[in-house]
Amino acid sequence: MKPSPEIIGELMNKKDQLELYHQMVLIRRVEERGAELYQQGKIGGFMHLYIGQEAVSTGLIAARQPNDRVITAYRDHGVAINCGIPVNKVMAELLGKATGTSHGKGGSMHMADPQKNFWGGHAIVGAHLPIAMGMALGDKYAKRDNVTICMFGDGATNIGFFHEALNMAKVWSLPVRWVCENNIYGMGTSVDRASAVSSIAQKACGYDMPSDRADGMDVMKVHEVAKKAIDEVRSGKGPYLLELDTYRFRGHSMGDPERYRKQEEVKKWEESDPIGIYHRYLTENKIATAKALDDMDAEVLTEVERAVEFAETSPEPTMEDLYKDVYAD
Ligand SMILES: Cc1ncc(C[n+]2csc(CCOP(=O)(O)OP(=O)(O)O)c2C)c(N)n1
Ligand SMILES: [Mg+2]
């Protein structure tokens, strides 16, 4: 069910609503351009695109306070942008340049910036969940009012880390907002084949934790449920699990032959393109004209091209930089 314009009005002003559109389009164009650069051999390592899932992190992160921490898995370019990492730094990181957000040594899967309260970008499935739990434990111990927002895929919920982290978070009543992005697949394996229950939210019962499930293709809906849940966690009610239904329009990573799904399925989900849904919402509710959104799209293209130029003309990390940033001082 769509939230009514009145509810939205209370949650967010017009400028902020347009900013959500800007961020989603920016993520989409950065990744489309990133895919081209990858095919030209300018990006090394693995790269996982977020195309189709933009509404999840956009709606979610718009609901956080600046002191709330965000941590995610390797599908992290969009999350980095939503956390406020400039697009130049994201693009430069993709190209492994010294000007990148992780100084060119993290690459696609390891974007991070503690100044923006974005704690990465983690490649090992599920391994960042205990880290999230540890950050929340530290905040609780130090009596800081922060919420940790931990995002992960459906596949990660079949891993031991998930169960250990949720258990301890509940035992210690930690301020963590667990967010599962259920895009139906973990690489080529569907949820039905890998998980004993098809609703991930149901797994919260094992830890006596409240949970919710919502449409992850509708950015305003995501924002609405995220806001409610973050406020609840901050009020001291302990951890919460949110499941957001979404879909990745591209393969698992670059070069995925996609033998595990039919093109008709992809096409069906593309009808629920989060950018299309939000475009309709903004124009139908007269928050923006189609022309204003077209102008924004054009500005985003220019912004992305400038970022590509910045990244391509940036220096590589030097040999002397190789051992920097390995350990915290
Ligand atoms: C511990 C571990 N096992 C296996 C892998 C290989 N692997 C990389 S991504 C992935 C699928 C994870 O799926 P999901 O959590 O649903 O995230 P999504 O890719 O759908 O965003 C697997 C099995 C890994 N990186 N780490
Ligand atoms: Mg998945």
Side-chain angles (χ1 to χ4, degrees):
M1 198 182 79
K2 290 227 157 162
S4 71
E6 300 82 66
I7 296 173
I8 301 301
E10 283 169 27
L11 286 176
M12 216 184 246
N13 64 35
K14 181 176 160 178
K15 186 169 152 281
D16 291 344
Q17 289 183 57
L18 291 179
E19 177 53 22
L20 295 191
Y21 182 80
H22 174 251
Q23 287 180 21
M24 289 205 289
V25 174
L26 185 59
I27 296 169
R28 178 77 53 100
R29 302 291 169 250
V30 161
E31 292 208 322
E32 285 170 347
R33 200 64 182 84
E36 286 172 16
L37 294 166
Y38 193 92
Q39 271 142 6
Q40 290 165 14
K42 293 181 179 168
I43 295 174
F46 291 111
M47 184 165 84
H48 308 80
L49 301 180
Y50 202 53
I51 293 176
Q53 299 185 211
E54 296 94 340
V56 174
S57 71
T58 303
L60 190 64
I61 293 165
R64 78 159 173 171
Q65 302 288 329
N67 59 325
D68 294 337
R69 303 169 190 275
V70 175
I71 187 166
T72 189
Y74 43 82
R75 211 175 285 287
D76 62 348
H77 317 148
V79 183
I81 288 172
N82 295 135
C83 283
I85 299 182
V87 64
N88 280 2
K89 287 187 164 196
V90 170
M91 195 58 89
E93 192 57 43
L94 285 175
L95 271 76
K97 297 299 182 79
T99 51
T101 188
S102 307
H103 309 299
K105 294 185 286 184
S108 164
M109 299 198 283
H110 305 105
M111 305 259 168
D113 186 349
Q115 305 294 327
K116 304 275 184 202
N117 238 334
F118 176 43
W119 298 87
H122 296 263
I124 304 302
V125 174
H128 63 291
L129 278 76
I131 297 174
M133 189 204 82
M135 290 194 300
L137 177 62
D139 283 333
K140 184 167 180 171
Y141 188 75
K143 299 193 173 19
R144 286 186 294 253
D145 190 20
N146 310 342
V147 172
T148 294
I149 299 164
C150 178
M151 303 164 73
F152 47 87
D154 44 275
T157 70
N158 303 320
I159 289 216
F161 288 129
F162 169 84
H163 300 279
E164 293 176 44
L166 263 74
N167 184 58
M168 291 318 298
K170 178 67 188 187
V171 169
W172 290 331
S173 190
L174 301 178
V176 193
R177 179 74 175 114
W178 303 109
V179 183
C180 177
E181 302 192 62
N182 186 349
N183 62 6
I184 314 181
Y185 295 101
M187 295 183 93
T189 307
S190 66
V191 171
D192 292 346
R193 291 177 57 214
S195 174
V197 290
S198 59
S199 164
I200 306 298
Q202 211 183 324
K203 296 187 182 184
C205 301
Y207 307 102
D208 192 22
M209 201 180 282
S211 66
D212 203 353
R213 184 174 187 177
D215 177 4
M217 303 305 259
D218 181 342
V219 70
M220 295 312 296
K221 186 75 203 165
V222 173
H223 184 263
E224 188 191 343
V225 290
K227 181 135 188 15
K228 185 175 136 252
I230 292 171
D231 289 349
E232 221 163 275
V233 172
R234 200 185 315 282
S235 72
K237 290 192 183 150
Y240 197 114
L241 174 65
L242 174 64
E243 175 182 9
L244 294 167
D245 291 299
T246 185
Y247 196 79
R248 58 170 161 71
F249 295 166
R250 301 288 183 100
H252 166 72
S253 63
M254 301 297 294
D256 173 0
E258 296 185 57
R259 290 203 191 93
Y260 51 87
R261 64 181 186 182
K262 296 207 162 65
Q263 267 314 302
E264 296 83 72
E265 180 185 293
V266 180
K267 287 216 167 63
K268 188 96 200 71
W269 276 91
E270 280 174 346
E271 287 167 16
S272 306
D273 185 326
I275 295 179
I277 290 177
Y278 197 44
H279 188 287
R280 263 198 310 284
Y281 169 81
L282 291 174
T283 50
E284 280 171 12
N285 289 290
K286 305 209 180 328
I287 297 158
T289 61
K291 160 90 174 62
L293 298 180
D294 286 350
D295 290 348
M296 209 189 283
D297 291 352
E299 279 164 29
V300 166
L301 280 178
T302 311
E303 197 179 347
V304 173
E305 278 322 303
R306 280 205 205 102
V308 173
E309 199 185 322
F310 170 82
E312 294 208 288
T313 54
S314 286
E316 307 272 346
T318 62
M319 283 302 279
E320 293 80 67
D321 290 340
L322 196 60
Y323 295 102
K324 280 191 196 152
D325 311 315
V326 177
Y327 298 104
D329 291 328

